[in-house]
Amino acid sequence: MTYKKEALKPTENAKRDQLRLEKPRVYEKILQFDEKTKRGESIAIIQFQYNYRCNFKCDHCSIKGFQGKKDTRSFTLADVKELSRQADELGLANIVITGGEPLVFPDFDELVAAIDPQKFYITSDSNGWLLDDKKAKHLKAIGVDKIQLSLDSLNAKEHDDFRHAPGSFDRCMRAIDACLDAGLSIILSTVVTKQRIRTQEFIDYLEFAKSKGVGTFVTYAKPVGAWEGNYDALVTPDDMAYMRELEERYAVFTHLTPSYGLDLGCIAVKRMISITQYGDVMPCPYMHLSLGNIFNEPLKDIIERGMNIKFFGKHINTCLMAESRPFIDKYIAGRIYGKPLPVPWNEVFTKEDLIQP
């Protein structure tokens, strides 16, 4: 055993004990995380953008530039099985199915089977539109472990307007109860801007989640996708410090929050990669650059390439995409904006950005 159980929160220990019984293969891989990070290896969650099909048109959509490609190779279920094999051999344990809206995928069940629930802890993103009691029970039955449900405000009109989907707030509320009733783990996912972070609405949101016994994952606003160039929404280091204060009072966390007893800082590549519908591996969902394509080379080689870039292989105690204007101006606005996505990594980074040139 390579982690200290006493270093984990009681809720983490309880979830890990349950995982040991339900998914022993996943449990054994997680036990190796501490040693892998000490060796400088990635323990990445795979954020798998399997298909960009979606039933909403959200204001902040980060994958707008990836939608609509018709002449590019896309994942087949056979490709998914190969991705699962490679990721399992690397000791990776978590896959998040995303899109788009996964619950509109016609082959969702086959996708889950191709990933193999015995090898991975599987989360699915959802906007909740199709997530009723029957669907929640079905998802749990086929091996989905968790739903990450997008809820943007406790004000129904604000949420519906942000999602351009009248009635979506009410369906989100239904989805929360459906998951809880089905015994399906659920967390809320919400976008926080500079304008929202210190509002009473956000506190009320966290109080609501607390009343439901549900955690909240906060995504800081990023100036990409439909929000390209929206610098006014970016948080500051002081805002991020305020968020850490909220973490002491609520079950709220960001990608910077230590987990599994590990403090990795920015988790790009170390603890998160995004794989597009077209096979490109990105450092995170918001850095629209390709470290390589899984259809052309092994995932292991691509991840090692990413870990050799100093922003990903070294400890960075902030979210570069959420608050660092120097990074955004130089690498994102200066080298990615206006180009076909994703941009090859060597058009974004140079030798000076590498750990081992």
Side-chain angles (χ1 to χ4, degrees), residues 238-297:
D238 284 345
D239 293 329
M240 297 169 81
Y242 172 69
M243 182 64 69
R244 289 192 291 272
E245 293 176 14
L246 293 179
E247 290 179 26
E248 299 297 319
R249 296 159 47 195
Y250 299 98
V252 59
F253 56 97
T254 72
H255 67 284
L256 296 168
T257 306
S259 62
Y260 294 106
L262 302 171
D263 182 1
L264 301 177
C266 172
I267 62 172
V269 186
K270 301 181 198 70
R271 179 66 178 135
M272 166 72 75
I273 55 172
S274 292
I275 301 182
T276 74
Q277 177 180 332
Y278 313 110
D280 289 294
V281 179
M282 303 188 298
C284 82
Y286 309 103
M287 289 189 190
H288 295 162
L289 62 100
S290 177
L291 298 170
N293 191 294
I294 196 169
F295 298 149
N296 300 326
E297 58 182 322

Side-chain angles (χ1 to χ4, degrees), residues 11 15 176 180 184-188 206-216 251:
T11 52
K15 290 178 181 178
I176 294 170
L180 293 174
L184 183 62
S185 182
I186 179 173
I187 58 171
L188 301 181
L206 297 180
E207 289 285 357
F208 167 76
K210 184 178 180 179
S211 74
K212 288 287 187 179
V214 173
T216 300

Side-chain angles (χ1 to χ4, degrees), residues 148-309:
Q148 185 163 293
L149 181 70
S150 296
L151 177 63
D152 298 297
S153 174
L154 279 188
N155 181 300
K157 185 178 186 304
E158 288 181 1
H159 173 88
D160 290 0
D161 288 349
F162 189 76
R163 295 277 163 177
H164 295 273
S168 59
F169 176 85
D170 291 337
R171 294 208 180 197
C172 262
M173 295 298 105
R174 178 191 68 178
I176 294 170
D177 291 336
C179 290
L180 293 174
D181 291 344
L184 183 62
S185 182
I186 179 173
I187 58 171
L188 301 181
S189 176
T190 196
V191 177
V192 169
T193 62
K194 171 71 175 175
Q195 293 74 24
R196 186 188 185 202
I197 192 168
R198 297 175 188 267
T199 64
Q200 184 60 45
E201 180 275 329
F202 185 52
I203 295 297
D204 292 343
Y205 183 108
L206 297 180
E207 289 285 357
F208 167 76
K210 184 178 180 179
S211 74
K212 288 287 187 179
V214 173
T216 300
F217 175 68
V218 164
T219 298
Y220 293 124
K222 315 290 196 309
V224 297
W227 273 1
E228 184 174 301
N230 184 10
Y231 303 129
D232 290 341
L234 301 184
V235 296
T236 66
D238 284 345
D239 293 329
M240 297 169 81
Y242 172 69
M243 182 64 69
R244 289 192 291 272
E245 293 176 14
L246 293 179
E247 290 179 26
E248 299 297 319
R249 296 159 47 195
Y250 299 98
V252 59
F253 56 97
T254 72
H255 67 284
L256 296 168
T257 306
S259 62
Y260 294 106
L262 302 171
D263 182 1
L264 301 177
C266 172
I267 62 172
V269 186
K270 301 181 198 70
R271 179 66 178 135
M272 166 72 75
I273 55 172
S274 292
I275 301 182
T276 74
Q277 177 180 332
Y278 313 110
D280 289 294
V281 179
M282 303 188 298
C284 82
Y286 309 103
M287 289 189 190
H288 295 162
L289 62 100
S290 177
L291 298 170
N293 191 294
I294 196 169
F295 298 149
N296 300 326
E297 58 182 322
L299 180 61
K300 180 178 184 292
D301 294 351
I302 298 171
I303 289 177
E304 288 179 354
R305 178 179 300 128
M307 291 293 285
N308 190 43
I309 297 170

Side-chain angles (χ1 to χ4, degrees), residues 93-137:
N94 306 75
I95 291 183
V96 178
I97 301 171
T98 189
E101 166 54 35
L103 297 190
V104 304
F105 300 167
D107 56 350
F108 183 87
D109 288 16
E110 293 82 2
L111 171 61
V112 172
I115 291 171
D116 191 345
Q118 293 308 308
K119 292 179 181 176
F120 295 94
Y121 187 89
I122 299 176
T123 300
S124 179
D125 285 343
S126 181
N127 56 38
W129 188 262
L130 299 174
L131 189 46
D132 56 14
D133 289 329
K134 182 178 179 181
K135 178 65 76 173
K137 292 174 183 175

